[in-house]
Amino acid sequence: MTGAARSHVVAVVAFDGVQLLDVTGPAEVFTTANGYGGRYDVRIVSVTGEDVRTSGGIRLGVEGTPDSLPGRLGTLLVPGRRDWRRAVDDAALTSGVRDLAERSRRVASVCAGAFVLAEAGLLNGRRAATHWRLAGELAAAYPAVTVESDPLFVRDGPVITSAGITAGMDLALSLVEEDLGADPARDTARELVVFMARPGGQSQFSARLRPRGAAHPAVRAAMDAVSADPGGAHSPAALARRGKVSARHLSRLFRGETGLTPAQYVESVRLEAAQALLASGTDPVEAVADGAGFGSAETMRRAFQQTLGVSPTHYRARFRTTAAPSAAADPGMRS
């Protein structure tokens, strides 16, 4: 879009029960980016042309119906509502979204907005993301969609779907970067005082939160040990000794409770530790790899590429926190 004379129209389709931040979060990203070279024209519409009542009871004003929009749109954004069935049962809504998609260069959804896209047939044969709590429901209701439950957002061709609530801002920042480049996206994130745009492949929730959901004491003991010291020696045998079970039995328990092997869990925690070190510090990549437990920079690089799709160096350059050094050094202040 750089150098383009015309505005990039972002059409947001609102409806009763919509989650407010699904609408206002991305809208704020796009309008803030206008201060850094963007030409975004954000238009909020409803199929009836009437204002809507959000999930929190706040009235949200709209500019009119989809017919009030220009013939060609840059981005169509569909937010969600907690009771997604009410949204997909609205034939006028799904029909309106389908028609707008045909006029749009790209289509995006936030959280349960993926259900509206799926009902409109826009996700058939595509990969998609939604809030992790809803991933199973999306897969069951729309078997033609390949649902990915973990990423913050997923892009499949011109369709981008994101996880819950604040992930919509990550999605919007990624689109700003696509349109304007990395520097304007960083400036936008800094202006909004948010973490630099997280890569779409990043997990929706921290690996270190998972031990709370483990039922078997052997699994909890192993996970607690890894979370407390990501850089420690956590071989399958060592973790099994902590749980007072055999390595084979621990592996079966891990798979049953987390869907991961012990080694995969260790790598996920180390990856998260390395991300925090890269984002908040200035240590060389080799030192970060050692501190996070990877052993070598090359091993860490492979883990970053396979999971996040970027190298550690690229991650640091693109996703460094904008917090002041004193705040960044405080774990409680990390985004």
Side-chain angles (χ1 to χ4, degrees):
M1 190 177 66
T2 304
R6 291 183 299 177
S7 296
H8 179 121
V9 176
V10 179
V12 184
V13 182
F15 45 88
D16 281 333
V18 72
Q19 296 194 127
L20 182 61
L21 198 56
D22 284 8
V23 176
T24 57
E28 194 69 25
V29 170
F30 288 121
T31 55
T32 300
N34 286 339
Y36 302 99
R39 295 182 61 85
Y40 296 108
D41 179 7
V42 179
R43 312 273 190 96
I44 301 175
V45 299
S46 69
V47 293
T48 63
E50 298 178 355
D51 294 350
V52 302
R53 184 75 67 177
T54 68
S55 59
I58 298 172
R59 180 174 289 278
L60 181 65
V62 304
E63 296 188 32
T65 68
D67 290 339
S68 67
L69 297 169
R72 294 298 301 170
L73 306 173
T75 301
L76 170 63
L77 182 71
V78 180
R81 62 173 292 170
R82 293 187 180 94
D83 183 2
W84 59 266
R85 291 174 182 83
R86 293 283 297 277
V88 302
D89 284 345
D90 186 339
L93 174 61
T94 55
S95 176
V97 166
R98 188 184 303 112
D99 291 344
L100 286 172
E102 293 178 357
R103 297 158 51 187
S104 303
R105 179 164 66 85
R106 63 192 177 201
V107 178
S109 69
V110 182
C111 197
F115 287 86
V116 179
L117 297 190
E119 182 68 19
L122 301 173
L123 297 183
N124 289 344
R126 296 187 186 276
R127 297 178 299 112
T130 188
H131 191 288
W132 62 271
R133 285 190 183 276
L134 300 175
E137 295 177 41
L138 181 62
Y142 301 97
V145 181
T146 300
V147 180
E148 299 188 7
S149 60
D150 203 31
L152 285 171
F153 56 89
V154 170
R155 179 160 198 158
D156 192 330
V159 181
I160 314 99
T161 50
S162 81
I165 319 297
T166 58
M169 297 184 71
D170 294 296
L171 180 152
L173 281 166
S174 77
L175 297 181
V176 169
E177 181 175 2
E178 175 185 308
D179 295 338
L180 306 177
D183 287 342
R186 277 195 289 267
D187 289 337
T188 299
R190 184 176 296 110
E191 182 71 20
L192 294 172
V193 198
V194 297
F195 191 82
M196 295 306 298
R198 295 176 289 180
Q202 184 166 315
S203 176
Q204 291 186 34
F205 47 91
S206 168
R208 301 185 200 193
L209 297 180
R210 294 178 183 173
R212 304 300 181 191
H216 198 284
V219 177
R220 286 202 304 273
M223 296 174 92
D224 286 343
V226 177
S227 296
D229 181 18
H234 300 305
S235 68
L239 292 177
R241 286 195 295 272
R242 283 186 173 274
K244 297 181 174 60
V245 295
S246 70
R248 179 175 296 181
H249 187 43
L250 181 64
S251 182
R252 286 197 296 267
L253 291 171
F254 246 85
R255 283 189 178 278
E257 295 209 20
T258 71
L260 303 172
T261 66
Q264 287 170 332
Y265 178 74
V266 170
E267 181 171 285
S268 71
V269 173
R270 286 175 174 170
L271 184 67
E272 189 173 290
Q275 289 174 265
L277 290 170
L278 288 167
S280 62
T282 58
D283 288 343
V285 170
E286 292 77 9
V288 170
D290 184 62
F294 282 102
S296 72
E298 177 58 25
T299 300
M300 184 172 76
R301 186 193 67 79
R302 287 197 298 268
F304 267 72
Q305 289 286 3
Q306 290 171 1
T307 305
L308 302 176
V310 295
S311 69
T313 301
H314 194 189
Y315 181 92
R316 168 173 273 169
R318 293 180 62 195
F319 310 121
R320 177 183 291 277
T321 179
T322 58
S326 58
D330 179 358
M333 296 293 290
R334 286 201 299 268
S335 175

